[in-house]
Amino acid sequence: MLVVGLGNPGEKYKLNRHNIGFLICDYILKNNSFSNLTKSSFEGELYKSNELFILKPQTYMNLSGKSVL
C-alpha cells in the first residue's frame, strides 16, 4: 500500500493548511519504524515499513503526479 501525503516543499509552506498531508506523514513516520528509500529520481521522500510505503512528493502540489508515478 502506498500512502501519499500531499503538500508543497519548503519552510514557507511548512505549517500551511494545504500541507496537512505532509504533517500526517510526519506523524506516522515519527511514531513508527520506517526505512528511508529516498532517491533523487523519485522527486520525493519515500519510506517503507513492511508492506506500507509513505511518499512525500517534493514537487509543488500540482506536479505531485510526477513523484507518484
Side-chain angles (χ1 to χ4, degrees):
M1 178 185 301
L2 174 63
V3 174
V4 179
L6 297 181
N8 289 312
E11 285 298 313
K12 178 180 177 181
Y13 301 104
K14 188 172 185 175
L15 296 177
N16 186 295
R17 65 187 170 102
H18 297 288
N19 274 24
I20 191 70
F22 279 8
L23 296 172
I24 291 170
C25 286
D26 290 341
Y27 178 82
I28 294 169
L29 293 166
K30 178 181 164 185
N31 293 295
N32 296 282
S33 179
F34 280 80
S35 299
N36 187 334
L37 304 176
T38 301
K39 294 181 183 177
S40 61
S41 62
F42 295 156
E43 296 188 57
E45 298 173 12
L46 182 65
Y47 303 90
K48 181 181 189 236
S49 178
N50 298 321
E51 299 299 315
L52 177 62
F53 290 86
I54 292 184
L55 175 65
K56 291 173 56 179
Q58 295 302 298
T59 58
Y60 286 97
M61 198 176 295
N62 59 335
L63 299 173
S64 59
K66 290 172 60 177
S67 183
V68 172
L69 238 170

